[in-house]
Amino acid sequence: MKGGEAAAAAAAAMVAGDERYCEAEDRELTVRKTTLFSPGDGLEAYDHRTGELAFRVETYGRGGVCGGAAAAGDLALLGAQGEPVLTVRRRRPSLHHRWDGFLGDGGAAQQKPLFSARRSSILGGAGSGVLVDLLAPAPAAEFRVEGSFPRRCCRVVVVAGADDEEGAEEVVVAEVRRKVDEGAHVLLGRDVFVLWLRAGFDAAFAMGIVLVLDRITGDELDGVLSDDLLEATSPVSASLASSTRVA
């Protein structure tokens, strides 16, 4: 397993071009939606250990701070000091609801996307997954999102460890979970959730995936929201499952 984890970390580390977004240990971010009116608008992410702001999201075309060649509707992932880290932009036309992620404000001439995300099926729906292709500067890799983002119960998986299918391993590099009030042992609403990151995985890249998921899947639920959980693969999953059983 260690070989697969190392390969997964190597595939994603430093994709945002700044080592500040990659940590040697597993990391948790608490993500909060500051507005419930439009997907992607008003997101803030805080470091679970320090409580400090790590990222926030701004929408271009609505008084954005960046400008450049950004188009209305682009989503800007900003760092703690307001610096542009990533810009997420919908590709049109696209039957797969494809979104591209660019470094910084995405305004450089002929700039190629850092990653591209799309629905696995043009039909969409609850059973449609999301695929994320990492294009540069690291070796090309494909990430698969499993589970349901609207239910805040999904994980990002990468196949790593070997070139042949038999020797390859699937490694969970990030996971979205509903947040538990540690004092009351109850699940909080879906506007606050946890983003767990495996050691070495780029937090900015993970937040870019979250923005795309919020745009592609939105917050509409199919059926009744339940507390059913995926099998625990991270400390976040195990803690959440244990807390809900205690409650």
Side-chain angles (χ1 to χ4, degrees):
M1 187 67 174
K2 290 184 179 180
E5 292 176 4
M14 300 292 292
V15 299
D18 196 320
E19 62 182 359
R20 291 178 300 172
Y21 306 123
C22 304
E23 295 198 0
E25 299 180 352
D26 292 357
R27 184 183 186 187
E28 294 178 27
L29 296 176
T30 297
V31 183
R32 181 172 67 94
K33 300 193 72 169
T34 57
T35 174
L36 306 180
F37 298 106
S38 178
D41 292 347
L43 284 176
E44 295 177 344
Y46 296 86
D47 187 281
H48 180 73
R49 291 192 299 266
T50 65
E52 296 180 351
L53 179 69
F55 302 101
R56 63 184 177 86
V57 176
E58 183 155 331
T59 304
Y60 288 116
R62 299 184 182 180
V65 298
C66 299
D74 286 1
L75 298 176
L77 179 69
L78 308 178
Q81 306 303 318
E83 69 279 12
V85 179
L86 290 174
T87 295
V88 178
R89 177 179 304 151
R90 184 172 183 179
R91 187 186 300 184
R92 302 178 187 275
S94 174
L95 295 177
H96 287 265
H97 204 39
R98 186 185 293 269
W99 287 74
D100 293 328
F102 300 85
L103 283 173
D105 65 6
Q110 305 300 319
Q111 182 178 357
K112 296 182 179 180
L114 184 70
F115 66 89
S116 182
R118 68 193 186 280
R119 282 195 306 231
S120 58
S121 170
I122 62 175
L123 300 179
S128 177
V130 174
L131 301 177
V132 182
D133 296 312
L134 178 60
L135 305 176
E142 182 178 85
F143 298 82
R144 183 177 71 253
V145 180
E146 300 177 344
S148 171
F149 179 75
R151 294 174 183 270
R152 307 296 186 255
C153 188
C154 63
R155 56 176 67 132
V156 181
V157 179
V158 64
V159 176
D163 294 331
D164 60 293
E165 185 174 345
E166 292 185 358
E169 292 181 284
E170 291 190 348
V171 180
V172 178
V173 292
E175 194 167 302
V176 171
R177 311 297 308 183
R178 293 180 66 189
K179 187 171 179 62
V180 175
D181 185 310
E182 297 178 357
H185 298 289
V186 296
L187 289 170
L188 300 180
R190 291 183 296 131
D191 56 318
V192 181
F193 57 92
V194 171
L195 175 61
W196 171 82
L197 306 167
R198 187 175 294 279
F201 194 72
D202 192 316
F205 179 38
M207 283 296 298
I209 295 176
V210 167
L211 295 187
V212 170
L213 290 175
D214 198 44
R215 285 292 180 172
I216 291 179
T217 68
D219 274 343
E220 294 299 322
L221 295 172
D222 54 318
V224 180
L225 180 65
S226 68
D227 295 338
D228 294 340
L229 304 174
L230 292 172
E231 180 183 354
T233 58
S234 71
V236 175
S237 303
S239 174
L240 190 153
S242 175
S243 298
T244 52
R245 282 196 296 268
V246 171

